[in-house]
Amino acid sequence: MEATVINMNRGFTLIEILVATTVFSLALGAMSSLFVMSLQGQRSIFAQQNLVDNTRFALEQMSRQIRMARRDETGICTGSAGSTYSGGGASIIFIDPQSNCRTYDLSGGIIRMRLDTGQEFRNLTSDDIYIERLDFDVRGREATDGEQPRVTIVIDAKDPNQHSAGIILQTTISARSVDVP
């Protein structure tokens, strides 16, 4: 009787190793691509949230103060006796509830605030966002015009790093104090 010898030292062939390596590389590449895309999506979402938060904070801060504005009886702050607001376009001046002559304006892509004429401006928005447009549309600013004072604010903001789309926010505020002759 003849003994059959079985070769137990059989390994993988070169073709099998190449096929396995190719399949593994394709799977790893697909997973890496999904991971990178999810990181980019997360970065975009964080940038958009930061943009919305910063812009909303500035809008709410300005709205709260503009709503509580008082008439400037002497004209020292607004430049016109009996007016509630002065300015329009990219800046507005008014007397706030604490009797400060408050100014909001746009400079270098940042919304700034100043409490009194002689003081320095302080930034209201951070350097993380860029304000392309700040517009104050003032109606009924004089006591004798027969209109309730109201201000429409439009803010056009974007992410300076282009991680997210820009936003445009708009609101209209009427003065809390009744302005009737």
Side-chain angles (χ1 to χ4, degrees), residues 65 77 94 96 98-104 113-122:
Q65 295 299 322
C77 177
F94 59 93
D96 70 9
Q98 293 79 30
S99 299
N100 295 314
C101 184
R102 188 174 292 255
T103 303
Y104 290 109
M113 176 199 62
R114 180 174 62 192
L115 284 179
D116 275 313
T117 308
Q119 293 185 358
E120 294 288 319
F121 277 96
R122 294 183 303 177

Side-chain angles (χ1 to χ4, degrees), residues 70-73 78 80-85 139-149 177-181:
R70 299 183 346 202
R71 185 179 302 141
D72 185 3
E73 300 295 344
T78 61
S80 176
S83 67
T84 306
Y85 306 108
R139 307 278 182 188
R141 67 179 81 213
E142 302 295 329
T144 58
D145 60 13
E147 288 186 67
Q148 178 67 14
S177 59
V178 179
D179 188 15
V180 290

Side-chain angles (χ1 to χ4, degrees), residues 51 108-110 126-133 156-160:
L51 180 66
I110 295 175
S126 74
D127 296 334
D128 295 342
I129 65 171
Y130 183 80
I131 307 297
E132 289 190 332
R133 179 172 65 119
D156 185 355
K158 70 175 188 173
D159 176 14

Side-chain angles (χ1 to χ4, degrees), residues 16-168:
E16 291 173 330
I17 292 175
L18 287 175
V19 168
T21 304
T22 303
V23 169
F24 179 73
S25 297
L26 289 174
L28 186 63
M31 287 189 298
S32 297
S33 176
L34 286 173
F35 181 70
V36 168
M37 285 178 20
S38 69
L39 285 178
Q40 289 172 341
Q42 183 183 27
R43 185 181 309 146
S44 176
I45 290 169
F46 283 148
Q48 186 73 23
Q49 186 63 42
N50 183 45
L51 180 66
V52 169
D53 287 347
N54 270 285
T55 309
R56 185 178 296 158
F57 170 78
L59 189 63
E60 288 178 8
Q61 175 75 17
M62 290 185 296
S63 297
R64 185 173 29 255
Q65 295 299 322
I66 289 170
R67 183 175 296 113
M68 300 300 290
R70 299 183 346 202
R71 185 179 302 141
D72 185 3
E73 300 295 344
T74 63
I76 292 173
C77 177
T78 61
S80 176
S83 67
T84 306
Y85 306 108
S86 176
S91 68
I92 189 168
I93 302 169
F94 59 93
I95 296 179
D96 70 9
Q98 293 79 30
S99 299
N100 295 314
C101 184
R102 188 174 292 255
T103 303
Y104 290 109
D105 76 354
L106 177 64
S107 177
I110 295 175
I111 299 175
R112 306 180 312 162
M113 176 199 62
R114 180 174 62 192
L115 284 179
D116 275 313
T117 308
Q119 293 185 358
E120 294 288 319
F121 277 96
R122 294 183 303 177
N123 293 347
L124 194 58
T125 55
S126 74
D127 296 334
D128 295 342
I129 65 171
Y130 183 80
I131 307 297
E132 289 190 332
R133 179 172 65 119
L134 173 65
D135 188 34
F136 296 100
D137 182 22
V138 180
R139 307 278 182 188
R141 67 179 81 213
E142 302 295 329
T144 58
D145 60 13
E147 288 186 67
Q148 178 67 14
R150 66 183 183 279
V151 178
T152 299
I153 305 172
V154 179
I155 300 176
D156 185 355
K158 70 175 188 173
D159 176 14
N161 300 318
Q162 301 297 326
H163 291 301
S164 64
I167 59 169
I168 298 174

